[in-house]
Amino acid sequence: MAHNYKKLAILGHPVQHSKSPLIHKYWIKKYGLDGQYDAVDSPPDTLERTLRRCLKEDYNGFNVTLPHKHSIRSYCDFFDTTSHEIGAVNTLHLKDHKLYGSNTDAYGFSKNLEMSHPDFEWGAGPAVVLGAGGAARAVAYALKDKNVPVIKICNRTLSKAGNIVADMGGSVMPWEERTEAIKECNLLINTTLLGMEGQSLLEMPLETLPSHATVYDIVYAPLITPLLQEAQARGNPIVTGIGMLLYQAQQAFKTWYGIVPEVDNLLIQKVLA
Ligand code: ATR
């Protein structure tokens, strides 16, 4: 194996539909780098064994996806601050026989918005987050990191929203009050699966949303979700979810190879195909 050869994989369950192999293989080829990127399926009860086997087989970098983002932390020797605060790791890097855990989801979230709308002002007003799962935690962390003045977490199960608020700040809003919650908001983000192909619709009337507010859906299948369609029809700026996937991958790739790969149009087309 060449000295700079990287043996990389995504660890998850299931992983067969993951776009990560496509993305990272594209960049390895584009930049003429040495390496491979595989998909490794591991149910939760064999995660430790699978990870140990991969390390024995000289894998030296991983992405981690559902359902392991939380549990994988027990096998890390070190974490970065972001993954520590979010409570989830999505990137592993082996260096000097030590496993470093990091989280690039929050970066992916904010970078995507900034690339879509370079003039967007994080500090201009409140942000409302719909949902309180793992994705919402990363989003709330990013909002806090960007000094968003007011963060409202609106979720069906109030206690889950409360857990995020306890760690990241902000306030809890009952799901039933979401129309009220968006009244003065500058940014509305859907982090639930609602609106995704095969899932129920997100019922989020936008009549009370200010006309300048940006609407961001982290769902990217379909690319323009019904929420984004409605926002677009009202003239609100929108952000699609595909870039969050691509920019979290960009940061992970940088962790392994030390270069920032380009999120180009051909890659976007391939991922959406
Ligand atoms: P992830 O970790 O990918 O964010 P998750 O933990 O399954 O996914 O979270 C899914 C989010 O969608 C949750 O906030 C969930 O609300 P609950 O915490 O009340 O379960 C939300 N969600 C799922 N189905 C929903 C529905 N029909 N109405 C409202 N919220 C829903």
Side-chain angles (χ1 to χ4, degrees), residues 66 131-136 155-157 160 175 191-194:
L66 299 176
N155 196 48
R156 189 178 55 175
T157 310
K160 281 170 73 181
W175 186 247
T191 73
T192 74
L193 300 179
L194 300 172

Side-chain angles (χ1 to χ4, degrees), residues 74-267:
S74 9
Y75 313 117
C76 292
D77 298 296
F78 300 101
F79 304 109
D80 68 350
T81 317
T82 309
S83 59
H84 179 68
E85 289 200 20
I86 296 174
V89 160
N90 79 332
T91 305
L92 295 173
H93 183 207
L94 190 75
K95 214 170 81 184
D96 302 328
H97 307 285
K98 299 284 182 207
L99 209 45
Y100 289 76
S102 56
N103 189 310
T104 67
D105 289 329
Y107 169 86
F109 168 79
S110 37
K111 181 79 176 177
N112 182 33
L113 198 165
E114 288 168 356
M115 293 304 283
S116 313
H117 299 289
D119 296 335
F120 179 78
E121 285 180 47
W122 294 97
V128 175
V129 180
L130 302 176
R137 283 190 81 81
V139 167
Y141 176 86
L143 296 173
K144 187 176 95 169
D145 188 53
K146 293 289 180 183
N147 297 317
V148 170
V150 177
I151 302 168
K152 297 178 187 172
I153 313 284
C154 194
N155 196 48
R156 189 178 55 175
T157 310
L158 271 185
S159 58
K160 281 170 73 181
N163 290 341
I164 297 185
V165 166
D167 292 344
M168 313 281 177
S171 59
V172 168
M173 291 294 289
W175 186 247
E176 297 71 29
E177 290 173 27
R178 59 197 183 284
T179 313
E180 184 67 21
I182 63 173
K183 263 187 179 161
E184 279 153 27
C185 95
N186 181 47
L187 176 62
L188 169 65
I189 310 126
N190 174 42
T191 73
T192 74
L193 300 179
L194 300 172
M196 186 187 281
E197 279 162 13
Q199 302 285 335
S200 310
L201 273 181
L202 169 64
E203 286 173 31
M204 181 66 249
L206 297 182
E207 287 86 40
T208 51
L209 186 74
S211 57
H212 72 273
T214 299
V215 180
Y216 189 150
D217 203 330
I218 74 162
V219 169
Y220 60 84
L223 185 63
I224 307 293
T225 60
L227 173 72
L228 294 184
Q229 267 176 33
E230 192 184 337
Q232 227 170 13
R234 300 176 79 245
N236 288 88
I238 63 160
V239 183
T240 65
I242 192 67
M244 181 168 170
L245 170 75
L246 290 163
Y247 287 105
Q248 67 73 31
Q250 180 189 63
Q251 186 79 345
F253 196 87
K254 182 178 171 225
T255 305
W256 304 317
Y257 281 105
I259 64 164
V260 180
E262 191 190 356
V263 173
D264 60 36
N265 285 333
L266 181 59
L267 176 61

